[in-house]
Structure formats: C-alpha cells, structure tokens
Amino acid sequence: MIQQILFVTALAVAGYFVYRRVSRIAQNIRLGKAEKITGDTGQRWRNMLLLAFGQKKMFDRPLVGLMHFVLYVGFVIINIEVLEIVIDGIFGTHRLFTPYLGGLYPALINFFETLAVGVIVTCVIFLLRRNVLKLRRFHAQEMTEWPRTDANLILVFEVVLMTALLTWNASDTVLRQRGAEHYQVAGLGSFWFSGMLTPLFEGWSTPALVAYERAAWWLHILGIMGFAVYVTYSKHLHIALAFPNSYFARQLPKGEMRNMPVVNKEVRLMLGLPPTSSEGGEAENSPPSEGAGEAGRFGAKDINDLSWKNLMDAYTCTECGRCTAECPANLTGKKLSPRKIMMDTRDRMEDVGKQIETGKEPFADGKTLIDDHITREELLACTTCNACVEVCPVSISPLDIILEMRRYMIMEESSAPGSWNAMFSNEENNMAPWKFSPTDRFNWASGLPQPPPSEEA
C-alpha cells in the first residue's frame, strides 16, 4: 500500500509539472500573431505521417536515418509497456496484462526488448559521434555548453532507462523461477535479451534480488516520468511538436514570399487593379492583415510580430544543424546560422514567458528579438535560397523569420544596405534590378544573328 501511495504521488507530481510547462509553452506560442492555416487537409496528414512518424527526410542520409528511426520508434513503442507499469503501480499488481494477452504477452516483451537493445546501441553511436568524432555541426558557435549537454543528457537518459528495463526483466525472471511471492505468473518464461542477463542475478539472495527488482522498476518508471518533465525544457520537445508542426507546414511553393495583404491592396489600388480575393480575408498560410485601413508594424521586431506558426517552429527545432550545414552563407564564413535563428527565437520566447510568470509586463525588459538576440549582419547574409527549409526534417522555416525581420529593417527603419536601396530604386523606376530603361532591355541581343523568317502562312 505504501508503494502504491508513493507511486500515485509521483505520477501526480510529474503530471502537474508537465501540465504546467506545456501550458507555459502554449501561452508563449500564442504570443505570436494569428495565422490562417488552410490548404489540402489530406496532404497535411500525409506530411505528418511521412515527416514526423516516418522520418522521411532523415533518410536522405540512410544510415543516420535508420539509426534515428530505431531510436525514435523504439522509445515510443517501448513506452506502450508503461501503461501496464502504471496500472501495476496504482493497484499493486504484477504484470497485469499477462493472463489477458496469453502467448502474445511474451512476444510483445521480446519485441520491446529487441527495440531496447537497438536504442542502447544507437545512443552509444550517437554519443560517440558527438563527443569522440565531434562532427562539426554539433560544435558550431551557437552550440554552447548547454545545448551540447542537453543532447548528451537525453542519450544517457535513454541508455539508463533501457538498461533498467532489461535488468528489471532479468531479475523478475529469476524471482519468478524461484516462485517468490508476488512474482508468480503462470506460463511466463524468460525473455530473449533479458534472459541473457539472468546469470548475473542467479547467485543473489532472494531479498537482495527483490530489492534490485524493485529498484530497477522504480528507476525505469520514475525515469520515464522525469523524462516527460525534462523533455518539455529540452530541444527534444520535437518528439511531440514534430507532428503538429509538419501538419501545419506551408503548402505554398517553396521560395514563394508572402505579401502583406494591406500593402498588396494599396499597390493594386495605386495601379488601378481590382482587389484580390484574399483582401477580404487571407490567402493560404498568409500572415494576418491588420485591417483594411491600418498596416500596423511592417515585419517583425520581436516575437509578438511573428506568427504563432513561426514560434511553434522555434520550439520544434531539433538543433540537428542540417539547416546550417546546408546554408551557403554559413559555408562561406558568414555569421548566419539558420539553427541559431530558431534557437534565439525560442530563447526570446522563454525570456518573455518568465516575465509573464513573475507578474511583470511582457516585453518591458527593453530587449527585442532583433539586435538583442539576432544581429542585422546575420539577417543580411541570407541569400533566401531556401536550402534550410528544404533540408529540415520537421518542416521548420527559418527563412520566414529572417524575411519578417528584414522587412522590419527595410520598411520600418529604412536601414537597408546602400546596394539594396539602389536595387529598390531601379525596380521602382525601371521595373528591373538594373539601372537602364526598360526600352533598352533587349539591347544586348542587337548584334546576334537573326533567326530565319517563319515559313508558316
């Protein structure tokens, strides 16, 4: 009875902290502007299944993709067993599902153990890649001590949890073989991988074995509860957010820049063109319009100028660094790192969230996302090539955030570089980035051989 009370208490405490943290994250995301999400619902479901569950983009690098799939699916499926553990913990039973599942039960446990071994092997390989091989993208400038420690902690965490599972099953098997009280389960033999570990426990006394079995059981379930709380503070929040983030990903052609509806309306009126259908509402995945007669702020100075989808992107970021590794600006030595853009956006949300939690006025700290977190040099280095969006395994778009902040710099502060201002002037006057009249546009072809006249009537 004491163990049941302790278990229910631990479950309630973990549930409280998860609920509190998830609520804080949801409120931080809601700091962003509204964004209308429409489009093909069927395609959204396909994106979610292929990208979030199927890990489609991870398999661009087959070996790493396979290991990540084993790690992800293994951890998720193994935790199905948590349902039985929770029920056993609440009611004081032992392997409650055994009589109901019959011969399927040992098959399931064997499958779980196979995945557990796969998770352990994969975690060890990933730890070696990060700390021995020291892959460049895991040790970039923005990957300070905490991001590197966070990644290592999660991997070690999973190794410990899976080891606890296997040794718990092994000690439990020996206790069942001895007919110890509370461990008697009819017709249940040893399991594949934990069965290989039973010789380690056969020389133990029964009281010592019971103590270890209980310790391993508690370590496994408390570890999972602790993991559930910790992951909400970690980059590994993408385990959950990858699903909604890939579902709500833009379906517009990649690289298409979204106009501000209010600006688009004014330009069309100036040109004598009729308003588009989106001016009474919004186009697919368009940023919100501020009203027919009020433009509000152009672009984004802080997180409340970004959309909720941009902020969800930041919380979904896995910090894998694939975006930065593919970024041509970063590869040529410029300061831009798309991964840092997402990490900085998330850090700013956390700062504002702490202000709200402590009862302070949000955004009253005198800081902003631009300048205090993300420098103008980073923003101007972006070539808008869309490589970061294309390669992201969970449909994150650092480019959206970069473009919104550049829009603020140019339209609100008129702080574009001189070369950009010259280009803007040329586009306004000559309808092209180059400084020559539209009537001279084809002068370059004046000396070329002319094609023969058409023989068609």
Side-chain angles (χ1 to χ4, degrees):
M1 181 59 70
I2 294 177
Q3 287 196 55
Q4 292 170 246
I5 294 173
L6 290 174
F7 181 84
V8 172
T9 302
L11 191 63
V13 169
Y16 167 75
F17 281 107
V18 169
Y19 171 78
R20 180 178 172 180
R21 177 59 181 166
V22 169
S23 298
R24 176 72 270 152
I25 292 170
Q27 290 175 32
N28 287 349
I29 291 174
R30 285 196 293 267
L31 291 170
K33 290 182 177 180
E35 178 173 339
K36 187 177 181 180
I37 303 291
T38 57
D40 184 353
T41 303
Q43 183 60 46
R44 295 191 182 284
W45 281 106
R46 285 191 291 274
N47 286 344
M48 185 177 71
L49 291 174
L50 288 173
L51 299 180
F53 184 77
Q55 310 282 299
K56 178 183 176 182
K57 286 192 177 180
M58 293 298 297
F59 283 92
D60 291 345
R61 303 170 187 180
L63 182 57
V64 175
L66 179 61
M67 289 190 294
H68 191 275
F69 188 78
V70 169
L71 181 62
Y72 176 76
V73 175
F75 189 79
V76 170
I77 293 179
I78 288 168
N79 283 330
I80 296 174
E81 187 185 15
V82 173
L83 176 61
E84 182 186 49
I85 296 174
V86 169
I87 296 174
D88 283 344
I90 293 173
F91 295 101
T93 53
H94 185 68
R95 297 194 181 273
L96 180 67
F97 291 168
T98 307
Y100 302 101
L101 296 178
L104 180 61
Y105 186 87
L108 284 174
I109 298 299
N110 283 328
F111 179 58
F112 293 156
E113 287 194 354
T114 302
L115 290 175
V117 172
V119 168
I120 292 173
V121 171
T122 301
C123 285
V124 170
I125 294 173
F126 283 167
L127 283 167
L128 292 174
R129 292 175 78 233
R130 286 180 173 273
N131 302 287
V132 178
L133 298 179
K134 293 188 177 181
L135 298 187
R136 180 177 176 273
R137 63 189 173 99
F138 296 137
H139 293 269
Q141 184 177 1
E142 67 270 16
M143 298 302 288
T144 56
E145 183 177 353
W146 168 244
R148 295 198 303 270
T149 302
D150 176 37
N152 287 329
L153 278 176
I154 288 290
L155 294 171
V156 171
F157 220 135
E158 295 193 17
V159 170
V160 171
L161 290 179
M162 296 304 105
T163 302
L165 172 67
L166 294 173
T167 57
W168 164 48
N169 281 343
S171 57
D172 176 75
T173 298
V174 176
L175 286 168
R176 283 187 283 105
Q177 291 171 348
R178 292 183 183 181
E181 186 180 359
H182 184 71
Y183 295 94
Q184 299 178 24
V185 180
L188 189 61
S190 62
F191 307 118
W192 291 342
F193 289 98
S194 61
M196 300 178 189
L197 302 177
T198 53
L200 298 175
F201 299 99
E202 288 174 350
W204 292 34
S205 66
T206 298
L209 203 54
V210 170
Y212 183 87
E213 186 275 338
R214 286 291 84 193
W217 185 90
W218 276 103
L219 176 61
H220 184 65
I221 189 59
L222 289 180
I224 289 174
M225 293 180 192
F227 181 89
V229 175
Y230 176 78
V231 79
T232 61
Y233 293 88
S234 165
K235 76 182 183 89
H236 290 80
L237 187 61
H238 73 269
I239 294 172
L241 285 184
F243 289 88
N245 204 69
S246 56
Y247 179 84
F248 289 119
R250 291 178 61 189
Q251 292 186 13
L252 296 175
K254 286 184 172 60
E256 180 176 324
M257 298 182 187
R258 298 173 294 177
N259 294 322
M260 294 183 68
V262 66
V263 175
N264 189 51
K265 176 183 178 181
E266 292 299 322
V267 171
R268 295 183 70 85
L269 289 174
M270 289 171 60
L271 296 174
L273 299 173
T276 62
S277 60
S278 65
E279 283 163 10
E282 292 171 322
E284 193 269 333
N285 276 38
S286 65
S289 57
E290 289 82 358
E294 182 183 355
R297 174 174 285 163
F298 294 107
K301 181 180 182 181
D302 212 337
I303 56 171
N304 56 330
D305 299 319
L306 297 170
S307 76
W308 65 264
K309 178 59 172 65
N310 297 143
L311 302 187
M312 180 185 284
D313 277 354
Y315 269 122
T316 309
C317 180
T318 71
E319 298 178 13
C320 67
R322 291 189 174 205
C323 54
T324 297
E326 296 292 330
C327 176
N330 186 272
L331 290 172
T332 54
K334 296 180 175 64
K335 290 188 68 174
L336 174 64
S337 167
R339 172 173 57 188
K340 180 179 178 295
I341 298 292
M342 306 315 298
M343 294 170 69
D344 287 341
T345 303
R346 184 179 61 209
D347 290 345
R348 178 59 181 161
M349 273 193 288
E350 287 293 298
D351 289 346
V352 175
K354 288 176 183 176
Q355 295 173 41
I356 296 173
E357 282 187 337
T358 55
K360 296 179 181 178
E361 188 70 21
F363 306 103
D365 57 357
K367 297 181 179 180
T368 57
L369 181 60
I370 192 170
D371 291 329
D372 291 297
H373 288 267
I374 299 171
T375 66
R376 294 165 189 256
E377 182 181 352
E378 294 173 74
L379 299 175
L380 295 176
C382 178
T383 67
T384 66
C385 69
N386 225 58
C388 57
V389 182
E390 182 66 28
V391 77
C392 179
V394 287
S395 296
I396 291 170
S397 178
L399 182 58
D400 277 355
I401 296 176
I402 292 171
L403 291 177
E404 287 300 314
M405 287 193 287
R406 289 210 307 212
R407 177 176 277 165
Y408 170 81
M409 290 170 54
I410 294 168
M411 300 184 72
E412 290 278 349
E413 297 185 334
S414 300
S415 62
S419 59
W420 290 25
N421 285 326
M423 180 187 67
F424 297 150
S425 177
N426 290 334
E427 287 181 336
E428 182 179 0
N429 297 317
N430 304 321
M431 292 171 285
W434 304 283
K435 194 173 184 178
F436 53 76
S437 170
T439 58
D440 297 331
R441 186 167 295 175
F442 290 99
N443 287 352
W444 64 272
S446 58
L448 296 178
Q450 298 298 314
S454 174
E455 295 180 358
E456 294 182 3

